[in-house]
Amino acid sequence: MHEYSIVQSLVDSVAAAVGSREASVHEVHVAIGEMSGVDCGLLTTAYDVFRAGTLCEHASLTIERIPARWHCPRCDATIARGAFLRCIECNEPAQLASGDEIVLQRIELEVA
Amino acid sequence: MCTDCGCGDVNLVPLELQTRILAHNDGTAAHNRAHFRERGIFTVNLMGSPGSGKTAVLEATARAFDGGAKLAAIAGDLATENDAMRLVRAGIRSRAIKTGQACHLDAEMVHHELHLLDLKGVEYLFIENVGNLVCPAVYDLGQDVNVVALSVTEGEDKPLKYPTMFAKADVVLLTKTDLLPHLNVDVQIIYHALARVMPNPVVIPLAARQPGGVDGWIAWLTQRRSAPEQLAS
Ligand SMILES: Nc1nc2c(ncn2[C@@H]2O[C@H](COP(=O)(O)OP(=O)(O)OP(=O)(O)O)[C@@H](O)[C@H]2O)c(=O)[nH]1
Ligand SMILES: [Mg+2]
Ligand SMILES: [Zn+2]
Ligand SMILES: [Zn+2]
Ligand SMILES: [Zn+2]
């Protein structure tokens, strides 16, 4: 389960963002795409186990799930879910417009 | 002022980031890629289920390339070095990565091994990833192409169950086709499933131990190495 290594990278990214600020992390917002290969449930579990003793110990995790959207790179038509990944009009192979995100969107810091 | 306990003013300050969580891995993968470019090595990230025939494909690839002198391999496995030993016996200079708990290889592990491999004269480097249809797809290693081995015995709907890995594949090797006469498998259903998860499905049927059984794969590989496409991505 690679969600543990994702959480490790997430905590490292948060630490880099906080830098030398005198602040504690209150909330962590991430975006996880449906096609990213990351399971949101496992990520939540891994986060809850792994955050102890890190600067995310008291920070809640909010996950925005991004659905997969395949589109035609020529005419931008959206490919229906479950259909062949090729535009019926242009015969172009589809491209993933969104849904592969593994992104740290923002954090909220508590400053006294 | 905190209304609950009167502990003083606590301000919540949002910090917009929008950074890729795996940015560090991406950076190391780019570093690996620069090493490979500099040496003119074409690098394959070979993925697939446990037992789908990844090592067998590489053994057959060594036979097709006159004993494998221009090939190198890094073989990831949870617990053993068996695959690297098989590949060495096949004539491919190889190193093993025992990942322990980790279900995938990452760019750091590959970087470590690539500096321990003698890459002189090597034209192709094969990274046999840990047998797993989910996790390896998440980590860029610095490869030129992603190759997924899918055996005919795995069930026709595997691509639909693991879309992420197949969506990232440049080619799918449909392995163990010598078994088809003994099975009740409709290859068309596999092709249709792949077309629903791969934008530009390229499928090469393969039988690792049959004479000529990997010819299509060798042709694709050599063509892809010399094609300018490899400079993209
Ligand atoms: N009939 C037949 N059997 C094959 C073929 N390729 C591999 N096998 C068998 O399938 C089993 C697994 O093959 P491997 O090459 O070890 O598969 P792998 O994907 O490297 O396995 P892991 O690295 O353990 O995930 C072995 O028993 C092989 O002999 C093939 O083309 N035809
Ligand atoms: Mg193997
Ligand atoms: Zn995993
Ligand atoms: Zn179109
Ligand atoms: Zn280096």
Side-chain angles (χ1 to χ4, degrees):
Chain A
M1 161 169 140
H2 51 291
E3 282 74 10
Y4 277 95
S5 28
I6 302 279
V7 168
Q8 170 90 63
S9 302
L10 173 63
V11 171
D12 291 346
S13 308
V14 170
V18 173
S20 57
R21 283 183 186 81
E22 291 280 330
S24 65
V25 186
H26 180 76
E27 195 162 345
V28 175
H29 294 261
V30 300
I32 301 296
E34 182 184 351
M35 291 293 289
S36 69
V38 176
D39 182 281
C40 295
L42 294 177
L43 187 66
T44 306
T45 308
Y47 181 78
D48 285 339
V49 172
F50 196 82
R51 65 172 154 166
T54 76
L55 82 173
C56 291
E57 179 148 18
H58 303 293
S60 53
L61 177 69
T62 304
I63 301 176
E64 183 188 344
R65 297 161 187 249
I66 315 280
R69 187 175 88 86
W70 291 90
H71 77 146
C72 169
R74 187 172 296 172
C75 72
D76 193 38
T78 296
I79 313 293
R81 284 184 85 84
F84 290 136
L85 293 179
R86 192 171 278 271
C87 180
I88 342 173
E89 294 297 325
C90 319
N91 200 33
E92 282 284 313
Q95 273 177 4
L96 197 60
S98 59
D100 63 349
E101 300 77 2
I102 307 178
V103 171
L104 171 57
Q105 298 174 298
R106 70 181 170 283
I107 56 178
E108 268 145 40
L109 296 174
E110 276 174 30
V111 280
Chain B
M1 185 71 164
C2 173
T3 49
D4 292 332
C5 64
C7 62
D9 287 331
V10 171
N11 290 321
L12 285 186
V13 180
L15 202 57
E16 257 332 291
L17 296 166
Q18 303 298 340
T19 50
R20 274 184 50 83
I21 293 171
L22 293 178
H24 181 74
N25 185 78
D26 293 347
T28 309
H31 175 88
N32 291 349
R33 196 165 274 125
H35 277 305
F36 301 142
R37 289 276 152 81
E38 186 183 63
R39 292 173 168 275
I41 296 174
F42 186 78
T43 303
V44 173
N45 180 13
L46 178 56
M47 300 176 281
S49 306
S52 55
K54 299 178 291 300
T55 309
V57 168
L58 296 183
E59 289 167 330
T61 304
R63 289 193 289 274
F65 275 105
D66 300 328
K70 293 176 175 170
L71 315 182
I74 296 172
D77 192 283
L78 293 173
T80 79
E81 299 190 353
N82 294 353
D83 287 1
M85 280 155 50
R86 276 170 66 187
L87 295 173
V88 167
R89 280 198 294 277
I92 307 178
R93 55 191 103 169
S94 307
R95 292 196 57 89
I97 299 179
K98 271 195 266 181
T99 58
Q101 303 286 1
C103 42
H104 60 273
L105 296 178
D106 65 28
E108 199 80 60
M109 300 176 196
V110 169
H111 182 249
H112 183 255
E113 295 305 322
L114 85 88
H115 281 292
L116 296 173
L117 262 174
D118 173 16
L119 292 173
K120 200 176 294 159
V122 166
E123 294 181 357
Y124 296 89
L125 172 67
F126 299 95
I127 304 169
E128 180 179 337
N129 221 310
V130 180
N132 183 319
L133 276 179
V134 182
C135 319
V138 179
Y139 291 82
D140 185 12
L141 305 177
Q143 71 278 359
D144 290 284
V145 288
N146 285 321
V147 176
V148 179
L150 172 68
S151 62
V152 293
T153 53
E154 282 176 64
E156 290 106 322
D157 59 352
K158 269 294 170 301
L160 300 176
K161 292 179 175 172
Y162 299 93
T164 300
M165 172 153 299
F166 290 97
K168 290 196 175 178
D170 294 283
V171 63
V172 170
L173 304 179
L174 188 61
T175 62
K176 312 191 189 180
T177 52
D178 54 295
L179 298 177
L180 281 172
H182 313 285
L183 304 168
N184 193 11
V185 171
D186 185 348
V187 172
Q188 265 323 305
I189 299 178
I190 302 178
Y191 280 75
H192 283 159
L194 284 168
R196 290 186 157 84
V197 293
M198 281 174 89
N200 202 8
V202 180
V203 186
I204 300 176
L206 190 150
R209 287 196 217 88
Q210 305 294 90
V214 295
D215 288 357
W217 155 239
I218 301 298
W220 185 89
L221 192 60
T222 46
Q223 195 275 331
R224 205 50 203 263
R225 180 172 189 263
S226 56
E229 246 173 326
Q230 70 171 279
L231 296 173
S233 96

Tab-separated table of all heavy atoms in Angstrom, chain A residues 72 74-77 87 89-92, ligand 4:
chain	number	residue	atom	x	y	z
A	72	CYS	N	-11.437	14.988	-26.080
A	72	CYS	CA	-10.763	14.950	-27.376
A	72	CYS	C	-9.829	16.159	-27.463
A	72	CYS	O	-10.264	17.289	-27.254
A	72	CYS	CB	-11.780	14.993	-28.508
A	72	CYS	SG	-11.012	15.266	-30.120
A	74	ARG	N	-8.683	17.540	-29.961
A	74	ARG	CA	-8.963	18.410	-31.104
A	74	ARG	C	-10.238	19.234	-30.886
A	74	ARG	O	-10.209	20.455	-30.991
A	74	ARG	CB	-9.078	17.568	-32.385
A	74	ARG	CG	-9.195	18.448	-33.627
A	74	ARG	CD	-9.126	17.637	-34.906
A	74	ARG	NE	-7.820	16.971	-35.056
A	74	ARG	CZ	-7.541	16.080	-36.002
A	74	ARG	NH1	-8.486	15.715	-36.867
A	74	ARG	NH2	-6.347	15.525	-36.084
A	75	CYS	N	-11.359	18.570	-30.525
A	75	CYS	CA	-12.632	19.308	-30.444
A	75	CYS	C	-13.125	19.478	-29.003
A	75	CYS	O	-14.171	20.064	-28.779
A	75	CYS	CB	-13.700	18.613	-31.282
A	75	CYS	SG	-14.284	17.076	-30.550
A	76	ASP	N	-12.373	18.952	-28.036
A	76	ASP	CA	-12.677	19.085	-26.614
A	76	ASP	C	-13.941	18.342	-26.170
A	76	ASP	O	-14.388	18.498	-25.031
A	76	ASP	CB	-12.764	20.568	-26.198
A	76	ASP	CG	-12.760	20.712	-24.672
A	76	ASP	OD1	-12.023	19.953	-24.019
A	76	ASP	OD2	-13.510	21.566	-24.149
A	77	ALA	N	-14.529	17.531	-27.048
A	77	ALA	CA	-15.702	16.758	-26.633
A	77	ALA	C	-15.323	15.841	-25.468
A	77	ALA	O	-14.228	15.275	-25.443
A	77	ALA	CB	-16.211	15.916	-27.806
A	87	CYS	N	-12.261	9.890	-29.879
A	87	CYS	CA	-13.351	10.779	-30.244
A	87	CYS	C	-14.118	10.208	-31.445
A	87	CYS	O	-13.507	9.857	-32.458
A	87	CYS	CB	-12.797	12.163	-30.598
A	87	CYS	SG	-14.081	13.324	-31.072
A	89	GLU	N	-16.112	11.810	-33.376
A	89	GLU	CA	-16.114	12.789	-34.474
A	89	GLU	C	-14.757	12.826	-35.190
A	89	GLU	O	-14.679	12.745	-36.406
A	89	GLU	CB	-16.419	14.198	-33.924
A	89	GLU	CG	-17.822	14.352	-33.352
A	89	GLU	CD	-18.902	14.137	-34.413
A	89	GLU	OE1	-18.660	14.513	-35.574
A	89	GLU	OE2	-19.960	13.580	-34.064
A	90	CYS	N	-13.695	13.005	-34.417
A	90	CYS	CA	-12.366	13.264	-35.009
A	90	CYS	C	-11.491	12.013	-35.112
A	90	CYS	O	-10.428	12.058	-35.728
A	90	CYS	CB	-11.597	14.282	-34.170
A	90	CYS	SG	-12.575	15.659	-33.573
A	91	ASN	N	-11.887	10.929	-34.450
A	91	ASN	CA	-11.087	9.708	-34.393
A	91	ASN	C	-9.734	9.902	-33.688
A	91	ASN	O	-8.805	9.131	-33.879
A	91	ASN	CB	-10.872	9.121	-35.798
A	91	ASN	CG	-10.482	7.645	-35.713
A	91	ASN	OD1	-10.920	6.925	-34.813
A	91	ASN	ND2	-9.635	7.209	-36.631
A	92	GLU	N	-9.626	10.961	-32.893
A	92	GLU	CA	-8.388	11.215	-32.140
A	92	GLU	C	-8.395	10.403	-30.839
A	92	GLU	O	-9.441	10.281	-30.198
A	92	GLU	CB	-8.313	12.695	-31.732
A	92	GLU	CG	-7.906	13.647	-32.816
A	92	GLU	CD	-6.414	13.581	-33.104
A	92	GLU	OE1	-5.620	13.601	-32.148
A	92	GLU	OE2	-6.067	13.503	-34.295
C	4	ZN	ZN	-12.915	15.340	-31.364
